[in-house]
Amino acid sequence: MDFTPTEEQTAARELAARIFGDLATPERLAAAGTGTDAELWKALCAAGLPAAVEELGLLGLVLMLEEQGRTTAQTPFAASAVYGILAVARHGADEQRARLLPALRDGSAIATGAFPVPVDFSGGRLTGEVPWAPWLRDATHVLVPDEERNLWIVRTADAVVEPVELTAPWSAGRLLLDSAPGERLGDGPGAYEDVLAVARIAFAGLQAGVCAGSLARAVDHVNRREQFGRPLATRQGVQLRAADAYMDTEAIRVTAYEAAWRYDEGLPCAEQALTAAWWASEAGTRVVHAGQHLHGGAGADLDHPVHRHFLWGRQLDAYLGPGAELLQELGELLATDDHATTAIGESS
């Protein structure tokens, strides 16, 4: 295994870090409320970052999403890349790729996914309700699975979208389908499992950034804050709490990197995707709690920047499966005879 980024991946990560660092300031985030920062999204698209996702691979996307997570920047980058660009590029027919990808690459179209809740498909139409989908209020297209785990692209113009407020400000919405038309994405087995695995890996990368940002704020705070004439950082209890948070953050990062690298290399990665998602869920919760706790009373301030990391970390904990469910799914996978030789997106 070699997780060393390519020159192109490193350049994209540095560019993403610069854009997020310059534009996703606490003041701008507060002004955006629970919606997307439209100017930030335009800046990302003008820099060509969404368009570069296919070339950079899943590992490249994870690296860029880490930088988004550090600042909790409110853009639909993760959702549109996973459920739009990568899903269509890998599973779409030639005509679908030619028609959909240009707009997804330049950001004029935005995709999200109604995962993992299935809807009913009958008579060529889709019917059902998805309680919430991230960044649905911004989306022009939503990827929807049916009960047979077939994937359908639905235009949000053909559905009803009701705003929903989540723990994190993800511009979410409730999706209501009433005999809505959809076009099938992928006609072979494994497309649903492939997209779900990519989503889990990508959002684990986002969680790694959220945790790194929370920890960085906490470390800065305990180094500056003094108690009884000494910085809080000199207290052994504070050091141990921060060290545990650092180790958890690194575990999220390395498992996300491994899963993304294996995916890009075409190697089996079903176990690794679940492992990364489990670490993001379980360890992510611990880290953002520690980040808020290490801020003391300031951490209880709902307007403090560290509170945003707490909200994002808790939202990511539950998205695409909480830790207990992921662990059960991983155990069932390990109990099968063919898990080690079947790659994501392939039939056994």
Side-chain angles (χ1 to χ4, degrees):
M1 291 181 288
D2 183 4
F3 305 152
T4 305
T6 64
E7 291 184 6
E8 292 79 9
Q9 289 171 336
T10 299
R13 179 178 195 169
E14 291 174 350
L15 179 56
R18 186 162 63 250
I19 294 173
F20 287 127
D22 289 345
L23 297 182
T25 62
E27 295 76 19
R28 286 179 61 93
L29 292 172
T34 62
T36 290
D37 186 332
E39 293 304 314
L40 176 54
W41 177 241
K42 289 179 182 178
L44 290 174
C45 295
L49 293 183
V53 167
E54 294 163 82
E55 180 181 351
L56 296 173
L58 185 52
L59 180 56
L61 176 60
V62 165
L63 294 172
M64 291 188 287
L65 291 180
E66 263 195 273
E67 301 306 325
Q68 178 182 357
R70 288 180 197 275
T71 59
T72 61
Q74 292 173 202
T75 74
F77 190 19
S80 198
V82 168
Y83 299 118
I85 295 170
L86 292 180
V88 173
R90 187 171 174 94
H91 301 289
D94 291 342
E95 185 277 331
Q96 287 176 318
R97 291 196 292 269
R99 172 167 46 88
L100 296 173
L101 283 176
L104 289 168
R105 289 169 182 152
D106 67 22
S108 57
I110 295 173
T112 189
F115 273 59
V117 180
V119 299
D120 178 67
F121 175 75
S122 60
R125 298 277 175 159
L126 297 160
T127 300
E129 177 181 341
V130 179
W132 69 272
W135 290 284
L136 184 61
R137 280 179 268 167
D138 300 324
T140 56
H141 300 79
V142 55
L143 192 61
V144 180
D146 66 22
E147 294 177 339
E148 301 298 323
R149 292 192 169 184
N150 299 310
L151 297 179
W152 301 88
I153 301 172
V154 176
R155 296 188 312 140
T156 52
D158 296 325
V160 175
V161 175
E162 298 178 347
V164 172
E165 299 303 335
L166 305 179
T167 301
W170 283 5
S171 191
R174 179 182 295 108
L175 181 68
L176 302 173
L177 301 174
D178 185 8
S179 296
E183 58 176 306
R184 177 79 177 270
L185 182 70
D187 55 3
Y192 171 87
E193 291 77 7
D194 182 81
V195 173
L196 181 57
V198 169
R200 284 171 167 166
I201 296 167
F203 280 91
L206 188 63
Q207 182 76 300
V210 169
C211 291
S214 175
L215 182 57
R217 291 187 181 279
V219 168
D220 178 68
H221 175 79
V222 298
N223 275 295
R224 289 185 294 104
R225 177 74 170 176
E226 290 190 359
Q227 189 178 61
F228 305 114
R230 297 169 55 193
L232 288 174
T234 63
R235 309 290 178 178
Q236 186 179 48
V238 171
Q239 294 171 357
L240 292 173
R241 192 78 192 274
D244 286 342
Y246 174 78
M247 294 302 295
D248 273 338
T249 301
E250 289 302 294
I252 300 170
R253 176 182 289 117
V254 74
T255 52
Y257 284 7
E258 179 187 10
W261 176 81
R262 291 181 66 88
Y263 184 88
D264 288 341
E265 293 295 314
L267 298 171
C269 63
E271 294 175 23
Q272 289 75 15
L274 285 166
T275 300
W278 181 84
W279 274 104
S281 175
E282 294 288 306
T285 302
R286 291 196 295 267
V287 173
V288 295
H289 273 264
Q292 195 164 31
H293 184 204
L294 288 170
H295 277 77
D301 183 356
L302 301 184
D303 295 324
H304 195 287
V306 77
H307 187 64
R308 296 181 58 84
H309 293 270
F310 174 79
L311 296 177
W312 277 63
R314 290 312 307 258
Q315 190 70 59
L316 285 162
D317 162 41
Y319 187 49
L320 299 178
E325 292 183 6
L326 294 167
L327 199 60
Q328 179 180 350
E329 189 176 341
L330 178 59
E332 292 170 352
L333 179 63
L334 292 171
T336 64
D337 294 330
D338 60 353
H339 73 273
T341 57
T342 302
I344 293 291
E346 296 179 355
S347 59
S348 58

